[in-house]
Amino acid sequence: MKIHGRCNLDCDYCYMYRAADQRWRDEPRTMSGPVIDLTARRIAEHVHIHRLTRIGVVLHGGEPLLAGAAAIERLVRSVREGVGPGVRVDATLQTNGTLLTPGRLDRLAALDIGVGVSLDGGAEAHDRHRRGHDGRGSHAATEAGLRLLTSAPYRALFTGLLCTIDLAADPVATYRELLRHRPPTVDFLLPHGNWSAPPPGRDPARQHDTPYADWLIRIFDRWYGAAERPSGIRLFDDLISLMLGGRGTVEGTGLAPVDYIVVETDGTLTLDDALRAAYPGAGDTGLHLARDPFDAALPLPGLTARRSGAAGLAAECRRCPLVQVCGGGHHVHRYRADGSGFANPSVYCADLQTLIRHIHRRVAGDVARLTRTSRGASAGADAHADTGPGHTGAGSGGADVPSAGAGAGAVGVGVGGLAGGDAASGGTGDRVGGREAGAVGTRTGVA
């Protein structure tokens, strides 16, 4: 929910204010009381129609704290009262952190609103892009806000950090700076570019270059190789989960259908703010909550394409053995202004392939070691067991393969099969730990 339509910063990569769609200038600065109440009623209607027991409400902007504590409280209380006590409402707020104060945090705590903060690393990297309208860097103010948020009274509100990747910044130094705040999770975001407006450092004519993968791999190796991981990294967690047969949690990984929509400050519905980076009106639906329920968006082509799995992707993506993991990348990164629209692979395709294959090699290597250890332990146990009639002990052929430890076998099912198989046909998969490399192993081949 875009509770405020302006920002006190002027970040040079912002898809809201610096991208192709400049119509934000004509939109209301803040969500009015009547629009807040209307939105809450429509949310309650949707929840009751679909008998939902849990929903998420994200307050963003612009900078949502500019809306003021009263508007934020009115919105969250109205939504919770509308859906009733049997429905859990996970309310979060994404902020640049510069306006956090003890008073504001007290109000957010009273409303049980989680707080995520955008931080691009140390002062030099952060201030290179995240500046105020006066041209001055915002790092010091963001750091001050984070010190408050991560202090004892408010620590439980902290949901994590967003960091937009800057190839000019050292990745490991950036990661270390983020970890100083002990975030529960970190989101590393690919800048919102596309084929017609490429992101920094990505030349569409040099598709074998993978600068973003190279940047992320340096962080992955440090994160994955740590004896104890100090924080989750959503992109890496998602990719590993998908390799193991799980699901992604954000758009841009996996093939799960998109399950969100944006309410603008005037009550109109749009598909995704990030689509502003493609062309003016890319996220328009023509819907307004005064006349349309949320379900009215479901049959719109722009949404059905992002809810139809591989069928909504370009033919090249559908043929790719990595499609179950990368999901074709984020929708906005596929755009090309040549008439093909979004029916293209991601402008980050080469980066995604390189990153996924690197992560797979690391995870598959660990799974293989776990499987060997499990088989060795099982063989040792069988060697000391009595060999009764009908039992094949270690002395006559070794341990029975299916008796490998359930933990190692379960992991092996997902990752082992990534070494082969065909995304379209289902492939044959590998046998790891005595089991067929099933669901993910057979449908997601990584050469």
Side-chain angles (χ1 to χ4, degrees), residues 24-160:
W24 60 270
R25 300 175 185 276
D26 302 320
E27 296 169 356
R29 295 179 66 87
T30 190
M31 187 175 281
S32 68
V35 171
I36 286 175
D37 296 340
L38 172 63
T39 302
R41 289 197 299 272
R42 286 297 192 186
I43 290 174
E45 172 189 64
H46 188 81
V47 165
H48 296 148
I49 288 173
H50 295 279
R51 299 180 181 179
L52 304 177
T53 59
R54 184 175 183 178
I55 61 170
V57 174
V58 180
L59 309 182
H60 71 116
E63 170 49 56
L65 290 177
L66 290 173
I72 292 172
E73 181 170 353
R74 179 172 180 170
L75 174 55
V76 173
R77 289 196 186 281
S78 296
V79 170
R80 286 182 172 146
E81 290 169 4
V83 300
V87 179
R88 175 173 170 177
V89 178
D90 296 318
T92 55
L93 179 146
Q94 186 63 38
T95 175
N96 58 43
T98 63
L99 301 179
L100 291 173
T101 64
R104 289 187 173 113
L105 286 168
D106 286 338
R107 297 288 289 272
L108 295 174
L111 293 165
D112 191 25
I113 298 176
V115 179
V117 176
S118 298
L119 179 70
D120 285 356
E124 181 181 358
H126 182 95
D127 288 345
R128 185 161 39 242
H129 303 287
R130 301 186 64 82
R131 296 176 175 271
H133 294 278
D134 59 2
R136 292 189 295 181
S138 62
H139 184 265
T142 299
E143 283 275 315
L146 272 167
R147 282 194 297 273
L148 271 176
L149 177 60
T150 57
S151 63
Y154 311 115
R155 179 80 199 182
L157 301 179
F158 189 26
T159 60

Side-chain angles (χ1 to χ4, degrees), residues 358-390:
H358 179 85
I359 292 176
H360 166 257
R361 284 193 294 270
R362 293 292 305 271
V363 176
D366 283 348
V367 167
R369 283 188 289 275
L370 284 170
T371 303
R372 287 195 297 270
T373 301
S374 176
R375 286 172 172 167
S378 178
D382 285 348
H384 291 283
D386 290 334
T387 306

Side-chain angles (χ1 to χ4, degrees), residues 237-438:
D237 286 329
D238 271 14
L239 293 178
I240 292 172
S241 174
L242 287 157
M243 290 176 189
L244 298 175
R247 291 168 60 93
T249 61
V250 294
E251 186 175 10
T253 62
L255 293 171
V258 167
D259 60 356
Y260 65 87
I261 198 161
V262 177
V263 182
E264 301 288 342
T265 53
D266 63 355
T268 60
L269 298 180
T270 56
L271 299 177
D272 188 337
D273 273 347
L275 290 170
R276 293 173 183 261
Y279 60 89
D284 287 1
T285 66
L287 304 177
H288 192 286
L289 290 180
R291 62 178 180 272
D292 302 300
F294 286 109
D295 278 356
L298 287 173
L300 298 177
L303 192 57
T304 56
R306 296 159 66 212
R307 292 179 57 84
S308 55
L313 302 179
E316 182 179 343
C317 293
R318 294 196 300 271
R319 293 192 298 268
C320 178
L322 305 184
V323 67
Q324 299 285 345
V325 178
C326 85
H330 196 290
H331 189 71
V332 72
H333 300 160
R334 306 172 201 160
Y335 179 72
R336 192 190 296 266
D338 62 356
S340 61
F342 298 96
N344 301 287
S346 169
V347 71
Y348 291 107
C349 181
D351 292 285
L352 293 172
Q353 288 193 42
T354 298
L355 177 63
I356 290 169
R357 293 180 194 280
H358 179 85
I359 292 176
H360 166 257
R361 284 193 294 270
R362 293 292 305 271
V363 176
D366 283 348
V367 167
R369 283 188 289 275
L370 284 170
T371 303
R372 287 195 297 270
T373 301
S374 176
R375 286 172 172 167
S378 178
D382 285 348
H384 291 283
D386 290 334
T387 306
H391 180 86
T392 303
S396 58
D400 189 26
V401 171
S403 69
V411 175
V413 169
V415 178
L418 288 171
D422 180 84
S425 67
T428 58
D430 290 349
R431 295 187 65 89
V432 179
R435 306 183 186 185
E436 282 292 331

